[in-house]
Amino acid sequence: MWDTKIPRSHPRYESLMIREKLVEGFKRGIVVPEGLIAHGRGECFDYLIGEATQPFARKAIEAAAAALLLAKHPVISVNGNVAALVPREVVRLAEIVGAKIEVNLFYRTEVRARKIKEVLLGAGAEEVLGVDDATATIPELFSERRRVSPRGIAAADVVLVPLEDGDRTEALRRIGKFVITVDLNPISRTSLTANITIVDNIVRAMPALIKAAEEMKGKSEEEIRNILSSYNNSAVISAALTHIRERLSSLASSLLGR
Ligand code: PTJ
């Protein structure tokens, strides 16, 4: 493992550790090779936003906590990358907001779905849907990608789908689900289609979402409704893009001044 070779003081230590978790997940059959590529794309956007939870992400996290707490039937959808990076956080968030956890894979195989279920049970989940019970279907999606649990995503009013593919996000919106995503790319089809887009790394966003939901539980329902109704996702995505533009402009200017 790298952590024996790379000192904690290494400037890219955190980032290398995240990579290592995904490589480990790949070797264990939890992450698909495409998941490693998807992570590389995410890393690039993480550089651009400054590898920190920015104010636009904090706004989206607050609104996401509100939507999950107000939901009658919230579901957290878990894919290979999410299971490799934040399994304990998924379980903790589900406990706080009373959500069901469902394995939902883009590149679905039954063997991998079962392995991901084991990871989540090992992280403390009491129940994991979407493996033996994925008998319902999302209309207009084809093959294995459409299969969901009748007690999970099929019945959900609010679905958290981190690192999701655009077709599926659009399909979930079409069947009336309120969709929350975590996606470092602010202009991915998923980011532009979701009701709430958290433009942040899943490894930072999940702990922040847990904290926000814990704190929000002490508020009245009216206060929580106000947080959600005053939220504007287009404004948040626009703020993410403006942040990237300003950050790059400032970096470019600082180089000229050297
Ligand atoms: O395990 P499976 O079969 O369900 O497959 C999972 C992947 C991620 C391969 C699948 O859902 C996929 O192909 O996703 P996409 O279409 O590549 O979208 C993933 C999005 O997540 C991209 O926009 C990435 O920028 C973003 N992303 C990658 N890593 C992170 C991330 N966003 C937040 N945090 C990350 N660590």
Side-chain angles (χ1 to χ4, degrees):
M1 281 284 286
W2 277 103
D3 58 355
T4 56
K5 293 185 194 137
I6 301 241
R8 275 200 163 266
S9 58
H10 189 289
R12 305 293 316 150
Y13 180 82
E14 294 297 334
S15 174
L16 290 171
M17 286 300 108
I18 297 172
R19 280 190 180 178
E20 212 46 40
K21 276 192 185 172
L22 286 166
V23 170
E24 228 6 75
F26 171 69
K27 288 180 185 159
R28 287 165 59 203
I30 290 159
V31 174
V32 277
E34 292 83 352
L36 303 178
I37 296 169
H39 183 71
R41 183 149 36 125
E43 274 187 345
C44 174
F45 282 98
D46 212 3
Y47 260 80
L48 296 180
I49 67 166
E51 294 180 303
T53 303
Q54 301 294 350
F56 50 81
R58 295 221 172 270
K59 263 193 198 164
I61 285 167
E62 285 283 305
L68 287 167
L69 285 170
L70 291 170
K72 287 199 170 53
H73 193 87
V75 172
I76 304 175
S77 172
V78 178
N79 65 20
N81 287 42
V82 173
L85 292 176
V86 283
R88 275 182 293 276
E89 290 82 353
V90 165
V91 174
R92 181 73 191 121
L93 181 64
E95 277 167 7
I96 296 168
V97 302
K100 296 212 177 298
I101 300 174
E102 175 162 347
V103 177
N104 193 243
L105 302 179
F106 185 81
Y107 302 100
R108 187 180 176 102
T109 67
E110 295 315 308
V111 172
R112 194 159 68 93
R114 269 197 296 281
K115 283 187 180 173
I116 292 173
K117 179 175 176 174
E118 287 307 314
V119 168
L120 293 164
L121 292 174
E126 279 180 12
E127 185 184 35
V128 178
L129 302 173
V131 181
D132 305 313
D133 64 329
T135 52
T137 53
I138 304 177
E140 297 173 49
L141 274 182
F142 300 102
S143 72
E144 296 299 284
R145 295 167 56 195
R146 69 204 321 244
R147 292 179 49 192
V148 288
S149 164
R151 290 178 48 234
I153 291 173
D157 51 353
V158 174
V159 202
L160 171 60
V161 284
L163 284 64
E164 185 56 282
D165 148 77
D167 280 357
R168 290 212 299 202
T169 308
E170 285 177 357
L172 288 170
R173 286 297 314 269
R174 271 199 301 274
I175 57 171
K177 309 293 177 193
F178 187 96
V179 177
I180 303 167
T181 195
V182 181
D183 193 328
L184 276 161
N185 177 357
I187 50 170
S188 72
R189 207 144 44 92
T190 289
S191 285
L192 296 174
T193 308
N195 298 83
I196 298 177
T197 304
I198 302 170
V199 182
D200 199 9
N201 197 317
I202 186 84
V203 301
R204 295 188 300 266
M206 284 299 279
L209 191 46
I210 289 167
K211 192 160 174 273
E214 271 170 347
E215 287 172 5
M216 208 173 282
K217 272 190 129 176
K219 292 189 195 289
S220 70
E221 188 175 326
E222 196 191 345
E223 277 178 287
I224 302 177
R225 285 198 186 282
N226 284 343
I227 292 169
L228 189 55
S229 61
S230 62
Y231 180 76
N232 179 339
N233 204 45
S234 300
V236 160
I237 294 174
S238 177
L241 293 171
T242 303
H243 167 82
I244 291 172
R245 186 192 67 205
E246 287 175 354
R247 194 161 175 273
L248 293 181
S249 293
S250 137
L251 281 170
S253 306
S254 70
L255 286 175
L256 290 178
R258 288 211 296 197

